[in-house]
């Protein structure tokens, strides 16, 4: 026998599976409830996008939060650390700063330390980077014929970090099926969650 409204057997029964429960919940919802849940889900997604766009404006960086994907900056940062970036164009780039930069021909930005700064008389600044855990500078990573980075290459400068919080992102990139399953579960939870 089933308990009233609980969806669980009162005694000795076995639950029929998560997928069956999901479809059962969807069937029991009337149209108004379903529209309400879809609207809730849309509001959560749009709120997240607005927060992200707000962070871009406040920090001046096109990617205000990034995940460290390699061990090239150990011991300063480890794989999976979450970095918070700013990119105010008035701030001069200094040797010793940790910057995130993009290189033409590479999709993923790189997090490394500025080791040399070369300032020309006209105010143009060029600089060289290197990973703390690497033996050589980054000239081998730059596009062919490029020996220095410029301010236009900088995505942001590291201002703070949370250790290992970004491991979830790395796992989702390494195992795409896990990512889609997690997104499906989160979407189903938001759609099926009822106000109490």
């Amino acid at each position: 026998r089933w308990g009233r409204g609980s969806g669980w057997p009162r005694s000795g029964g076995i639950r029929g599976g998560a997928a069956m429960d999901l479809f059962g919940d969807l069937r029991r919802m009337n149209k108004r409830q379903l529209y309400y849940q879809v609207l809730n889900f849309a509001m959560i997604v749009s709120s997240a996008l607005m927060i992200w766009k707000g962070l871009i404006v406040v920090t001046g960086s096109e990617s205000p939060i990034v995940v460290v994907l390699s061990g090239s900056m150990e011991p300063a940062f480890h794989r999976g650390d979450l970095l918070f970036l700013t990119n105010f164009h008035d701030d001069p780039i200094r040797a010793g700063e940790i910057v995130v930069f993009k290189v033409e021909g590479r999709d993923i930005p790189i997090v490394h330390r500025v080791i040399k700064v070369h300032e020309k008389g006209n105010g143009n600044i060029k600089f060289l980077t290197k990973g703390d855990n690497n033996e050589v500078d980054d000239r081998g990573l730059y596009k062919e014929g490029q020996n220095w980075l410029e301010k236009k290459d900088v995505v942001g400068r590291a201002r703070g970090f949370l250790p290992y919080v970004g491991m979830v992102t790395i796992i989702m990139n390494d195992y795409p099926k896990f990512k889609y399953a997690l997104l499906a579960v989160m979407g189903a939870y938001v759609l099926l969650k009822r106000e109490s």
Side-chain angles (χ1 to χ4, degrees):
R1 223 162 100 191
W2 295 87
R4 182 178 296 169
S6 69
W8 287 89
R10 282 195 182 174
S11 62
I14 297 174
R15 194 157 185 187
M20 295 303 288
D21 288 341
L22 177 66
F23 292 121
D25 283 348
L26 277 174
R27 270 191 239 110
R28 283 192 292 277
M29 267 189 195
N30 64 34
K31 284 184 181 178
R32 179 178 280 175
Q33 286 174 322
L34 187 60
Y35 292 147
Y36 177 74
Q37 296 305 86
V38 168
L39 186 61
N40 268 346
F41 184 68
M43 287 186 66
I44 288 169
V45 170
S46 61
S47 295
L49 287 173
M50 285 190 295
I51 290 168
W52 182 255
K53 290 292 184 186
L55 281 172
I56 289 172
V57 170
V58 169
T59 63
S61 174
E62 64 186 71
S63 293
I65 301 171
V66 296
V67 175
V68 178
L69 298 177
S70 76
S72 66
M73 277 303 292
E74 290 179 3
F77 300 124
H78 295 86
R79 189 169 191 254
D81 287 355
L82 198 70
L83 299 184
F84 301 101
L85 310 179
T86 62
N87 194 22
F88 303 120
H89 291 284
D90 299 339
D91 289 348
I93 291 175
R94 298 183 187 349
E97 266 190 308
I98 296 170
V99 296
V100 177
F101 60 92
K102 277 188 177 175
V103 174
E104 194 177 311
R106 292 181 179 264
D107 294 334
I108 299 171
I110 300 167
V111 181
H112 281 174
R113 191 179 301 275
V114 175
I115 57 168
K116 286 183 187 174
V117 176
H118 180 67
E119 190 167 355
K120 293 185 175 178
N122 62 3
N124 284 350
I125 294 174
K126 294 189 173 189
F127 57 94
L128 181 64
T129 56
K130 176 185 171 295
D132 289 358
N133 202 22
N134 293 348
E135 292 185 14
V136 295
D137 63 42
D138 290 341
R139 285 190 170 123
L141 297 175
Y142 304 160
K143 73 177 181 180
E144 193 175 332
Q146 183 179 8
N147 291 320
W148 300 87
L149 292 175
E150 297 177 27
K151 262 194 159 182
K152 66 177 178 55
D153 301 313
V154 175
V155 174
R157 305 171 207 202
R159 300 298 185 196
F161 77 103
L162 285 174
Y164 303 111
V165 174
M167 283 308 289
V168 175
T169 303
I170 291 173
I171 291 167
M172 287 196 298
N173 284 336
D174 289 349
Y175 305 100
K177 288 180 183 175
F178 174 74
K179 173 171 61 176
Y180 297 126
L182 185 64
L183 289 172
V185 167
M186 287 169 60
Y189 173 76
V190 171
L191 285 173
L192 298 175
K193 188 184 79 162
R194 291 194 177 96
E195 298 295 321
S196 43

